[in-house]
Amino acid sequence: IGAEELRGHLAARLPDYMVPSAYVHLERLPLTPNGKLDRKALPAPEGDAYAAQAYASPQGETEEAIARIWSELLGVERIGRHDNFFALGGHSLLAMQVVSRLRQALGVELALAVLFARPVISELAASLAAAARSTLPEITPVGRDEVLPLSFAQQRLWFLSRFEEASTAYHIAGGLRLIGRLEREALVRALDRIVARHEALRTVFVQGDDGMPVQRIAAAAGFALSDHDLCGAAEAAGELQRLVAVEATASFDLERGPLIRGRLVRLASYEHVLLLTMHHIVSDGWSMGVLTRELGALYRAFAHGEADPLPPLAIQYGDYAVWQRRWLSGEVLARRGAYWKEALSGAPALLELPWDRPRPAEQDHAGAVVPIRLDARLTEALKALSHRHGTTLYMTLLAGWAALLSRLSGQEDVVIGSPVANRGRAEIDGLIGFFVNTLAVRVDLSGPPSVSELLARVKAQTVAAQEHQDLPFEQVVELVQPSRSLSHAPLFQAVLVWQNLPAGRLDLGELRLEAVEVPRVSAQFDLTLSLAETGGTISGGLEYATALFDRETIERWVGYFVRLLE
């Protein structure tokens, strides 16, 4: 009897959510010496163990709403009631957006863990029927005549800027080569409009009468774009590289601004390079996608003599900062903080890696990057492994990263930083601003665990951390009270960045675009592993603090990581 026959047999007798999706034939069940079921010895389902299902349209208002939201987020036109969110390409970030949009569409607050546990539409709809109504307050506009506080994340960067003068570790820089006829006036108008549209990009941060920082929003005064002409220059390529480095590393003045700037470099009549740099206190990775989409839409409209096509923004970043301060206080703060205090209680203060040099008394944030690439075969195998164990690709890579860090440090208790977009509210999706949060994911490698056990542990810890991601990292540090040192970051010193943000494709009409590499010369942490999946392969880089490690060491560790995943 095959998997499909078994599924059909059970589907006639059981509700949908109780029908297994995979079937494995065993001669006998593996038992422990005590005669109990040995779950560790159970084989993972292979590809042919999964039953294919015929398409069944969603039934009822709730299933139809879920299918509509999945279709929008996943870009899949037809979604049936038996489809699995993660099998269709869903991941943790999209799962958070599903939760946000279900809250908005149905008024239901869904726990993230429920979506991971019941990722099939019919099962999820049954869970939603019993979910309680959301009590989260709405984000509403506030008057600009009152003092605007910083968000918790902004406040941390503001304090760091007082101690770490002009650190480039908090710069977000990018470059594009524009090939073709550039309508410079349309480009300038588009950039000016983006600055006028997003208050965060014309905000400065000053010290208030009580010593605490406050936001001040400047009137729209245009985008700070400088021009540089290298047309016909003998050493144009070398001079361009120098300008790229200067633009990315030149310091920002948080009290005077502007905190976004650009440089347009002319290489020939039909070839330009556009360099953009923002301070992290007013932007994040998601914001770059917003800026990219809006720049393309505005440039195309202005180049054809059309009006601004973008709808007005209902709220601004300052409204979010006020909302966050009001909501995350009192009982709400205590309740959410309780999870993090328990989760990180007794965690090691420092990941004791084998450094090439003694740790300096104070971080200098100098850094470099070693590239990493996983070929298509390994990428596909990791996806299959994730599917068999019910994890996302991010969770599987996190498990591998934790295993490597544990082996290198000799520690069985490893805490890894994991940035999340923190865009759990649909109304802030289209805003430029500093929303990203960093979670401290604690991984237990004692035992030692099997691969199956490690994946299960990482999945449980990741889902729990993501469910509590609305408590800012700054508040977590205050609640946990780890030992503090200027020589290393608190709570964790190693990070995994999984680049699954909506990048936003830039379309500037007839211009052909090519990315310009901006060298990374800073490091916020000891080690930051950044990975993304593009074109069927996983690639990225391992950023490291040059004060601690030699490049040869990091290259060797990259080899270890690839081999471990294999």
Side-chain angles (χ1 to χ4, degrees), residues 185-196:
E185 182 181 349
L187 177 64
V188 172
R189 283 188 63 197
L191 291 169
D192 286 348
R193 178 67 192 120
I194 290 172
V195 171

Side-chain angles (χ1 to χ4, degrees), residues 39-348:
R39 296 182 181 274
K40 298 179 183 179
L42 289 171
E46 299 294 341
D48 57 359
Y50 291 87
Q53 300 182 65
Y55 173 80
S57 60
Q59 299 176 8
E61 180 183 348
T62 302
E63 288 190 10
E64 289 174 354
I66 297 171
R68 185 168 57 253
I69 290 169
W70 287 14
S71 178
E72 293 171 356
L73 293 175
L74 296 169
V76 177
E77 184 174 346
R78 191 179 77 156
I79 294 181
R81 68 190 309 261
H82 298 305
D83 284 336
N84 184 299
F85 177 73
F86 298 104
L88 292 173
H91 49 71
S92 302
L93 173 61
L94 289 177
M96 289 300 302
Q97 292 183 266
V98 168
V99 170
S100 171
R101 296 197 183 191
L102 285 173
R103 179 195 302 127
Q104 190 177 42
L106 303 176
V108 175
E109 187 67 28
L110 178 73
L112 183 64
V114 174
L115 178 53
F116 274 92
R118 309 187 76 177
V120 175
I121 282 185
S122 58
E123 302 173 10
L124 188 61
S127 297
L128 282 171
R133 291 272 162 181
S134 171
T135 56
L136 279 174
E138 292 185 13
I139 304 176
T140 56
V142 298
R144 291 303 183 259
D145 54 343
E146 63 178 273
V147 174
L148 291 177
L150 279 63
S151 68
F152 290 113
Q154 284 181 323
Q155 182 172 300
R156 176 170 176 266
L157 278 196
W158 184 84
F159 278 120
L160 287 175
S161 72
R162 314 284 284 186
F163 294 103
E164 302 167 6
E165 295 183 6
S167 174
T168 60
Y170 304 104
H171 289 189
I172 301 175
L176 275 177
R177 190 180 298 269
L178 315 175
I179 302 172
R181 182 182 177 84
L182 173 65
E183 299 290 346
R184 187 186 183 283
E185 182 181 349
L187 177 64
V188 172
R189 283 188 63 197
L191 291 169
D192 286 348
R193 178 67 192 120
I194 290 172
V195 171
R197 176 178 168 81
H198 293 276
E199 287 183 354
L201 297 181
R202 43 193 173 88
T203 297
V204 295
F205 305 88
V206 298
Q207 188 168 320
D209 296 336
D210 59 356
M212 297 299 291
V214 297
Q215 297 190 44
R216 285 191 182 162
I217 302 167
F223 182 88
L225 182 68
S226 60
D227 288 275
H228 207 100
D229 194 345
L230 294 181
C231 190
E235 299 294 333
E239 181 63 12
L240 175 62
Q241 290 304 308
R242 188 190 70 81
L243 289 174
V244 168
V246 168
E247 189 65 29
T249 57
S251 62
F252 286 100
D253 187 333
L254 298 189
E255 293 189 354
R256 297 183 180 182
L259 301 183
I260 179 173
R261 63 170 181 257
R263 188 187 298 259
L264 185 63
V265 183
R266 181 172 179 261
L267 298 175
S269 298
Y270 292 96
E271 184 177 1
H272 297 76
V273 168
L274 176 63
L275 304 174
L276 292 178
T277 310
M278 291 186 281
H279 196 285
H280 203 349
I281 202 169
V282 297
S283 184
D284 55 19
W286 182 295
S287 298
M288 292 297 287
V290 174
L291 188 149
T292 297
R293 290 191 297 274
E294 293 191 353
L295 178 60
L298 290 167
Y299 176 84
R300 293 193 304 273
F302 294 156
H304 290 89
E306 300 169 0
D308 179 354
L310 301 177
L313 296 172
I315 59 172
Q316 294 283 345
Y317 188 86
D319 304 316
Y320 165 79
V322 171
W323 172 86
Q324 185 192 55
R325 292 279 179 171
R326 290 174 178 172
W327 175 56
L328 278 176
S329 61
E331 183 182 347
V332 173
L333 178 61
R335 189 167 61 249
R336 280 162 169 73
Y339 163 79
W340 288 108
K341 290 177 72 173
E342 180 179 354
L344 298 174
S345 175

